[in-house]
Amino acid sequence: MILVLKDNASQAQIDNLIKWLKSLGVDTHLSVGRYQTILGLVGDTSGLDEDLLSSLDFVETVKRIQEPFKNANRKFHPDDTVVDIGGTKLGGGHFQIIAGPCSVESREQITYIAREVKNDGAGLLRGGAFKPRTSPYAFQGLRAEGLELLKEARKETGLPIVTEIMDASHIPLFEDVDVIQVGARNMQNFELLKELGKLRKPILLKRGMANTIQELLMSAEYIMAGGNEQVILCERGIRTFETYTRNTLDLSAIPVIKELSHLPVVIDPSHSTGHSRFVRSMSLAAAAAGADGLIIEVHNDPQHALCDGPQSITPDAFSKLVPDIKAILDIVGKELG
Ligand code: PEP
Ligand code: MN
């Protein structure tokens, strides 16, 4: 349920209402937007008297929300959420490119790529330290050492770091990570999501390869229900009958999510297509379709990459792509960074 408040609602009236609702076991979320102030109600609202709420002289309207996601719902928060990563803004007109290798492989590799992508316009550095591999015999990542190397690359370049967590028991290791990524395979690891909800740190939540948009939003809701509202959604391709690409990039997820939710949406053209030669076109299409950012795998030596080489573009290809993304951002009214 949401209450649209009148312009003249006083802070004391709002505070009293919030207190009264809390005594009835209903949590609230206040969103002071550009045009409207909205009080979102979370919890069991079935016992609330809608007529009584409507009759309050500082309440404009009372609406029931049909969707099961509340905090992530645009009706709760009409303005776009801008996630602030230590001053680096993502969403609400700020477009960010997250670039870097699939996996951190060595100090030289990660610092070299970090410098290259930073020079070309990336706003954040990606790199997996804990890798979710289909085969237990494949490279599993440098784990804790990989996190340390990412931090060194951050120190060198100033780029905030984005890296994947696979287990809640690793959270202490991620304390100094700027954005924690939840991979496609863990999108419905609800215990992990609940623990991440207790943090006050941006979370990049990837859509599971066989999950609907509503399920993605429900997973975001798990994080937000714990009070962590800094969630970035990522479409990274879903499984379909098509085998020519690694997954099928659901670009229509961008306008759909934008309609349903206020959270920023980032597109991953690398995991969705699985081939470096398709990364450029899908990146441009994503920017044109209203995405708030991209997460792109970049490797200086894709042929010898320890993970996801075939879908990784080179720093050179990355540097040619960024100006064209900027040209599209001009048209859609967004800024890089
Ligand atoms: C990754 O970002 O390297 C990754 C494993 O992505 P996904 O979870 O989308 O497969
Ligand atoms: Mn990868």
Side-chain angles (χ1 to χ4, degrees), residues 102 126 131-132 164 181 183-185 206 236 271 297 308:
C102 178
R126 66 150 288 148
K131 292 305 304 176
E164 179 169 353
Q181 175 176 328
R185 292 154 189 83
K206 288 188 141 195
R236 47 77 72 205
H271 292 88
E297 286 189 341
D308 286 348

Side-chain angles (χ1 to χ4, degrees), residues 88-106:
T88 297
K89 293 192 165 69
L90 194 158
H94 302 273
F95 189 97
Q96 291 293 346
I97 306 178
I98 306 166
C102 178
S103 310
V104 179
E105 298 172 8
S106 68

Side-chain angles (χ1 to χ4, degrees), residues 38-210:
I38 286 175
L39 189 66
L41 276 47
V42 197
D44 183 8
T45 56
S46 56
L48 290 180
D49 182 343
E50 257 178 75
D51 292 336
L52 176 69
L53 290 168
S54 305
S55 71
L56 297 172
D57 64 1
F58 60 100
V59 172
E60 177 100 45
T61 42
V62 177
K63 291 184 207 158
R64 289 240 171 232
I65 304 243
Q66 303 307 329
E67 298 86 6
F69 48 91
K70 311 292 178 192
N71 287 286
N73 203 309
R74 194 176 277 282
K75 290 174 190 155
F76 256 50
H77 189 289
D79 291 347
D80 285 350
T81 280
V82 180
V83 174
D84 193 330
I85 307 143
T88 297
K89 293 192 165 69
L90 194 158
H94 302 273
F95 189 97
Q96 291 293 346
I97 306 178
I98 306 166
C102 178
S103 310
V104 179
E105 298 172 8
S106 68
R107 174 176 291 117
E108 294 67 34
Q109 176 243 21
I110 192 68
T111 45
Y112 176 78
I113 298 173
R115 271 194 226 112
E116 291 283 313
V117 297
K118 155 109 189 194
N119 283 341
D120 293 329
L124 298 103
L125 174 68
R126 66 150 288 148
F130 292 86
K131 292 305 304 176
R133 303 305 300 277
T134 302
S135 165
Y137 310 117
F139 175 59
Q140 302 288 306
L142 295 182
R143 303 172 69 83
E145 188 198 339
L147 296 179
E148 291 310 311
L149 296 179
L150 274 170
K151 289 179 208 166
E152 284 184 30
R154 174 178 61 194
K155 204 165 162 204
E156 189 106 353
T157 59
L159 289 179
I161 52 178
V162 183
T163 192
E164 179 169 353
I165 194 164
M166 294 207 293
D167 195 293
S169 69
H170 295 161
I171 286 177
L173 285 173
F174 283 67
E175 204 183 319
D176 199 19
V177 163
D178 302 293
V179 179
I180 301 181
Q181 175 176 328
V182 176
R185 292 154 189 83
N186 270 310
M187 189 204 87
Q188 288 192 314
N189 182 341
F190 300 120
E191 291 302 317
L192 174 61
L193 300 179
K194 281 187 215 166
E195 290 303 316
L196 296 175
K198 294 179 188 163
L199 307 181
R200 295 295 173 265
K201 191 187 267 300
I203 308 294
L204 178 82
L205 176 66
K206 288 188 141 195
R207 179 179 178 183
M209 55 189 95

